[in-house]
């Protein structure tokens, strides 16, 4: 349990897990500016990036539950590309409320998913769009190639150097392999999916937590936990978003209809 907690936290809190590798998306490349329009940087109130997320509604961001550091400490930035440089495409919003999944278990990492309601809606434009989600319980076959993106900054050790978004393509690893005694030995639940290269060297890493794993244009995974970064024996473990599609819709639309009702508005759309 201590081990798991450590494994979980290294992706969130700057640690020494990765002094040998770059503390960011491992083995990837820099996508062209604002080509991944749904990605959100979650920053501390001091402007320090610590997690990723994605925009699923103009007033809601989807991320990992372990990115919850308290509402007052968090700022969300959409439309960003180079952290630490104002490029004119960024939109900022503070959270209005946090909705971590009620079954989230920080010792097993099960149900590591959270919705953040924004205090002001984000404007959708050339730089910002919504992330499409998979249907409830939609599955992925092993070998399907997906991509994970993030800033994965290394806190103060990175200084004020601008950090450009990175992305890496990775195949889905079967749950049976990921859950086997050669790998995570029984710690993979049905609410998790694994992705990583057979030969290692490609992975999400600390600071990428909560960020989107996109397959066929939909967000199937959220960076959750792992064991080191880029080790072929230990693929990255992601929250299986398709297991939570119904919860996401219920959370977003039940709050939304309450708001409409309290504002005296009605709409058949919602
Ligand atoms: C988390 O999971 C562990 C192991 O299954 C269980 O013992 C514990 O009660 C769970 N904690 C919560 C808060 O659900
Ligand atoms: C799996 O979980 C057990 C019990 O929580 C832990 O002792 C073990 O280190 C974990 N193994 C891996 C590979 O994560
Ligand atoms: C992973 O292995 C454990 C222990 O054998 C098992 O309880 C669990 O259901 C397995 N997970 C999945 C998703 O099959």
């Amino acid at each position: 349990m201590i081990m798991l907690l450590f494994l979980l936290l290294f992706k969130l809190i700057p640690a020494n897990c990765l002094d040998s590798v770059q503390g960011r998306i491992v083995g990837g490349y820099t996508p062209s500016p604002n080509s991944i329009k749904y990605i959100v940087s979650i920053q501390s109130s001091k402007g320090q990036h610590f997690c990723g997320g994605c925009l699923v509604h103009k007033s809601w961001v989807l991320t990992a539950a372990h990115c919850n550091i308290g509402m007052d400490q968090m700022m969300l930035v959409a439309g960003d590309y180079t952290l630490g440089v104002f490029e004119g495409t960024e939109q900022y919003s503070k959270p209005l409320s946090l909705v971590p999944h009620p079954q989230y278990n920080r010792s097993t990492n099960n149900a590591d998913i959270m919705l953040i309601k924004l205090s002001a809606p984000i404007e959708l434009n050339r730089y910002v769009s919504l992330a499409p989600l998979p249907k409830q319980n939609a599955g992925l076959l092993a070998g399907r190639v997906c991509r994970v993106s993030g800033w994965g900054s290394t806190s103060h050790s990175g200084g004020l150097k601008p950090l450009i978004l990175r992305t890496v393509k990775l195949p889905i690893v079967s749950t049976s392999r990921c859950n086997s005694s050669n790998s995570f030995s029984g710690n993979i639940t049905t609410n998790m999916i694994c992705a990583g290269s057979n030969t290692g060297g490609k992975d999400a890493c600390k600071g990428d937590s909560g960020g989107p794993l996109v397959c066929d244009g939909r967000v199937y995974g959220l960076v959750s936990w792992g064991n080191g970064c880029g080790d072929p024996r230990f693929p990255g473990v992601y929250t299986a978003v398709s297991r939570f599609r119904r919860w996401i819709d219920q959370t977003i639309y039940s709050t939304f209809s309450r708001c409409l009702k309290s504002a005296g508005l009605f709409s058949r759309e919602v």
Side-chain angles (χ1 to χ4, degrees), residues 61-228:
V61 167
L62 185 67
T63 186
H66 80 265
C67 292
N68 185 355
I69 60 163
M71 199 162 81
D72 300 342
Q73 311 294 317
M74 296 165 80
M75 174 63 86
L76 296 110
V77 189
D80 216 340
Y81 180 61
T82 311
L83 296 182
V85 172
F86 184 70
E87 294 156 308
T89 53
E90 300 89 345
Q91 295 185 56
Y92 299 84
S93 177
K94 296 210 71 99
L96 182 68
S97 59
L98 304 182
V99 189
H101 195 278
Q103 259 115 52
Y104 171 55
N105 186 319
R106 60 165 63 224
S107 51
T108 60
N109 303 323
N110 193 37
D112 187 10
I113 189 167
M114 177 168 72
L115 278 162
I116 302 177
K117 173 99 199 260
L118 304 176
S119 56
I122 297 290
E123 184 200 328
L124 306 181
N125 57 29
R126 280 202 298 153
Y127 312 105
V128 180
S129 67
L130 301 182
L133 298 175
K135 294 200 175 99
Q136 178 71 29
N137 294 329
L140 285 172
L141 292 178
R144 170 65 58 80
V145 175
C146 305
R147 83 175 183 180
V148 60
S149 311
W151 283 277
S153 101
T154 54
S155 175
H156 297 97
S157 57
L160 294 173
K161 259 191 288 169
L163 281 172
I164 300 176
L165 183 66
R166 295 187 72 82
T167 190
V168 66
K169 289 187 177 150
L170 294 167
I172 294 294
V173 172
S174 71
T175 297
S176 56
R177 204 184 109 201
C178 195
N179 202 21
S180 74
S181 55
N182 291 325
S183 191
F184 290 108
S185 40
N187 295 322
I188 303 301
T189 70
T190 51
N191 294 323
M192 301 172 187
I193 51 174
C194 302
S197 142
N198 267 328
T199 51
K202 293 178 170 188
D203 204 355
C205 204
K206 64 174 174 171
D208 293 318
S209 277
L213 175 76
V214 174
C215 320
D216 282 339
R218 295 177 191 273
V219 178
Y220 273 85
L222 306 176
V223 177
S224 180
W225 63 289
N227 184 354

Side-chain angles (χ1 to χ4, degrees), residues 25 28 64 104 261:
I25 290 278
Y104 171 55
K261 256 185 224 158

